[in-house]
Amino acid sequence: MQISWLVLMPPLLVVVLAILTRRIVFSLGVSILSAALILHDFQLKPALTTVGVRIWNATELGYLTSWESFWSAWYLFICLFLIVLGIMIELITQTGGAFAYGQALRNRLKNAKNAEVASLMMSHLFFVDDYFGSLTVGSVMQPIIDQFKIPRVKLALLVSAIAAPLAVLCPISSWSADIIMQLRQSGISTVMQEGTVLLADPFYAYLMAIPFLFYALITIASLWFMVLTRTSYGTLKCHEEEAARTGNLFGGKIALTRRMKVVDAAQMHNSSIWDFLLPLVTLFVTVIIGIAYLGFGRIPIALFLGSCCATLIGMVYLFMRKKLKISMIPDVVRSGAMLMLPSIMVLVLIWTLSALLKNDLATGNYLAGLLIGHITISLLPGIFFLLATLISATMGSAWGTIGLLIAIAIPMLASFVPGAIPVTPDQITIVFPLIAAIISGAVAGNHLSPIADIMLLSSASAGSYHFDLVKAQIQYAFPSVIASAIAFFTAGFMIQTYGILLTACTAVALGIVISITMIKTLSKLS
């Protein structure tokens, strides 16, 4: 295969098909096949063989053949971690642990502001997974916020807007597991081998990118400002005025009677807040211990073992509390695994496509050849943030966007550095805001997309009309997107002169000020 413009077709095809079909698995599958066809000059048989081999390699099922090879796997442990995390989420949900938080708050809240603060605080406790928070917080808080005539769309917004930003900032969440694997897949490794473009630990690269996750940090700060100062505008303000005037919590529409039933009344009886906190605290502690013992190079194993310990300890505790029965375990395991199955399918396909784009088609190197000499490297974080936002908004898949762009951006950035590849982080410190820009854009795009799954889950759990949430979230994401874009362009020009810490602090402070100023202005105009 001769490198040509055709190497740009597979990533473009994913975006176009996702817009037309709204089916991310189908879109990724077609894109993988197109990449293999381009690689083999459109010969079907070798292309299908390559697809099969790449998918098999992505699952790492071959590592199950021996005990030694099993413990050297990476992708496999990420998938296992997600399955066990799903089981732990289902365990907490079915035994009523999450509802204990709501019960504890019911008699302590004095006004609407207190109820909204409690909703945000509860969302912070669900940092391990955005699905976990989206499915649970709305259902738990519904009867509480109804007491204070808070419109349902506001509850849905507080749940939806904060779920993903919290998950990307946490090093032991389901998002961090995917991001670490994407970084490794893109050529970031401590071992100098074929395909390595940046000599660094993937987990270290992710940790260094966290201070540059401007959209997540700006969104969380903006939401707290909105709640603490009782500031609103647009759709949300209309719903609040309607609720105050008539008591209708749905913007004047017919009240929705459906409500996501997460746990039955029997399990809510005598629930303790420790039914909820113990598994999460155990997960955090055991993962940190696992990382300290195994080292940063074996993060997936630490995540898997930590989640196993947390789930087992949670089960034993709930058995002792008589909240869990042996007959419930098969359903908990099955439901938890099924909860994460769609994410695992998307991950395997993303890993497969990423490998084809980086190793076989060299899409990043091709783009670098087009851009070198035409744009400065300082513009890349801002450009990739806007590009990731656009792609994520049209695809409706943040994880798909991250996998697509990371595989292109890292090899492309390395090509900007004169000299031999691989390079070190000291040579291109801008790699950290670039990684963060792609992650931030993926989250921002999901907040703008009417087909994003988190928005749908949040509106369902909060009992809000879905399109009301879409309108409100787009209106409130807009200031954060503008502020984040300015912050990333600022960071791109500052980092090579002022270093990582000063650049990150300056840019995020600038972004928060811009976002809050825009929110205050829009509120006054409204």
Side-chain angles (χ1 to χ4, degrees):
M1 182 203 75
Q2 293 184 348
I3 295 180
S4 68
W5 62 270
L6 286 174
V7 301
L8 300 176
M9 292 305 297
L12 291 174
L13 195 59
V14 173
V15 178
V16 173
L17 288 177
I19 295 171
L20 296 177
T21 67
R22 300 186 181 184
R23 295 165 60 192
I24 185 62
V25 172
F26 171 78
S27 304
L28 286 168
V30 173
S31 183
I32 289 169
L33 180 59
S34 71
L37 286 169
I38 293 170
L39 177 65
H40 293 286
D41 297 321
F42 296 94
Q43 298 179 50
L44 183 60
K45 186 175 180 180
L48 291 174
T49 302
T50 296
V51 170
V53 170
R54 292 290 185 272
I55 291 178
W56 176 258
N57 291 340
T59 60
E60 287 189 342
L61 292 176
Y63 283 72
L64 295 174
T65 55
S66 70
W67 189 249
E68 292 77 13
S69 62
F70 171 72
W71 289 107
S72 64
W74 267 74
Y75 304 140
L76 184 59
F77 277 110
I78 294 298
C79 295
L80 292 174
F81 164 68
L82 291 176
I83 291 173
V84 178
L85 183 62
I87 294 170
M88 189 183 79
I89 291 171
E90 194 67 21
L91 178 70
I92 294 173
T93 302
Q94 287 200 25
T95 54
F99 281 81
Y101 179 88
Q103 295 284 21
L105 291 175
R106 191 177 292 272
N107 297 322
R108 293 186 172 91
L109 302 179
K110 306 294 184 183
N111 51 45
K113 180 179 176 179
N114 292 158
E116 292 171 12
V117 168
S119 298
L120 277 182
M121 289 179 64
M122 185 175 188
S123 293
H124 280 274
L125 297 175
F126 288 84
F127 59 86
V128 293
D129 186 69
D130 51 343
Y131 276 28
F132 192 14
S134 298
L135 285 167
T136 309
V137 176
S139 293
V140 172
M141 295 301 297
Q142 263 190 51
I144 298 174
I145 64 110
D146 286 356
Q147 294 178 15
F148 301 102
K149 294 184 179 181
I150 299 171
R152 291 289 182 86
V153 70
K154 188 165 191 177
L155 174 61
L157 177 66
L158 295 178
V159 171
S160 177
I162 205 169
L166 286 173
V168 297
L169 290 170
C170 176
I172 59 169
S173 68
S174 56
W175 279 70
S176 68
D178 170 58
I179 292 167
I180 292 166
M181 281 310 310
Q182 297 299 346
L183 295 176
R184 186 172 185 267
Q185 183 85 343
S186 69
I188 299 179
S189 175
T190 55
V191 180
M192 189 178 295
Q193 58 188 2
E194 184 181 358
T196 300
V197 295
L198 181 65
L199 280 173
D201 184 89
F203 186 65
Y204 167 80
Y206 168 61
L207 290 179
M208 295 299 291
I210 288 177
F212 296 97
L213 291 171
F214 297 142
Y215 181 79
L217 295 168
I218 291 169
T219 297
I220 292 172
S222 299
L223 284 171
W224 276 105
F225 172 81
M226 180 187 76
V227 167
L228 293 176
T229 61
R230 309 291 295 157
T231 303
S232 61
Y233 57 88
T235 299
L236 191 58
K237 188 174 183 65
C238 293
H239 280 241
E240 287 180 329
E241 291 175 347
E242 180 71 24
R245 185 172 63 253
T246 67
N248 186 299
L249 305 181
F250 301 88
K253 301 182 183 71
I254 298 173
L256 288 174
T257 56
R258 63 178 174 84
R259 180 180 174 193
M260 293 188 66
K261 187 173 186 288
V262 181
V263 63
D264 58 35
Q267 290 290 39
M268 292 171 61
H269 183 63
N270 291 329
S271 291
S272 166
I273 197 169
W274 282 105
D275 298 348
F276 168 67
L277 288 178
L278 182 67
L280 295 180
V281 173
T282 306
L283 175 67
F284 184 81
V285 172
T286 52
V287 168
I288 295 300
I289 293 173
I291 293 173
Y293 180 74
L294 297 172
F296 289 129
R298 306 185 77 184
I299 294 295
I301 299 177
L303 289 172
F304 169 67
L305 294 178
S307 61
C308 286
C309 288
T311 303
L312 290 174
I313 291 173
M315 284 184 173
V316 171
Y317 170 77
L318 291 167
F319 267 124
M320 294 172 61
R321 292 251 303 133
K322 297 182 179 180
K323 300 286 291 180
L324 182 68
K325 301 177 182 178
I326 294 178
S327 59
M328 294 172 59
I329 293 179
D331 182 58
V332 168
V333 172
R334 182 176 62 254
S335 299
M338 292 302 295
L339 178 66
M340 290 298 181
L341 184 59
S343 297
I344 292 172
M345 290 175 61
V346 171
L347 273 183
V348 170
L349 293 178
I350 288 172
W351 293 339
T352 303
L353 179 60
S354 297
L356 285 165
L357 294 178
K358 183 181 77 73
N359 300 325
D360 298 308
L361 300 185
T363 305
N365 296 333
Y366 177 76
L367 272 178
L370 295 178
L371 296 176
I372 291 175
H374 294 87
I375 68 168
T376 173
I377 194 173
S378 301
L379 292 172
L380 291 181
I383 290 173
F384 268 90
F385 170 74
L386 295 174
L387 184 61
T389 301
L390 177 62
I391 292 174
S392 181
T394 53
M395 286 176 59
S397 172
W399 284 20
T401 302
I402 293 171
L404 188 66
L405 291 182
I406 286 286
I408 295 173
I410 301 301
M412 185 189 76
L413 183 63
S415 299
F416 272 77
V417 180
I421 292 177
V423 297
T424 63
D426 293 337
Q427 294 175 275
I428 46 169
T429 51
I430 200 170
V431 69
F432 303 125
L434 179 64
I435 291 169
I438 294 172
I439 299 169
S440 295
V443 175
N446 247 213
H447 284 177
L448 301 173
S449 176
I451 61 174
D453 48 4
I454 293 301
M455 209 182 301
L456 181 62
L457 293 175
S458 299
S459 61
S461 73
S464 163
Y465 282 97
H466 177 62
F467 195 66
D468 287 344
L469 175 59
V470 171
K471 291 190 293 183
Q473 186 150 303
I474 289 175
Q475 292 164 2
Y476 278 86
F478 177 74
S480 295
V481 171
I482 299 298
S484 298
I486 295 172
F488 278 115
F489 280 114
T490 302
F493 283 99
M494 284 186 62
I495 192 165
Q496 297 183 73
T497 304
Y498 297 100
I500 292 174
L501 182 60
L502 181 59
T503 298
C505 292
T506 303
V508 76
L510 175 64
I512 290 173
V513 170
I514 292 172
S515 179
I516 289 177
T517 301
M518 291 182 67
I519 289 173
K520 290 173 68 176
T521 303
L522 289 169
S523 177
K524 289 180 179 179
L525 292 175
S526 179

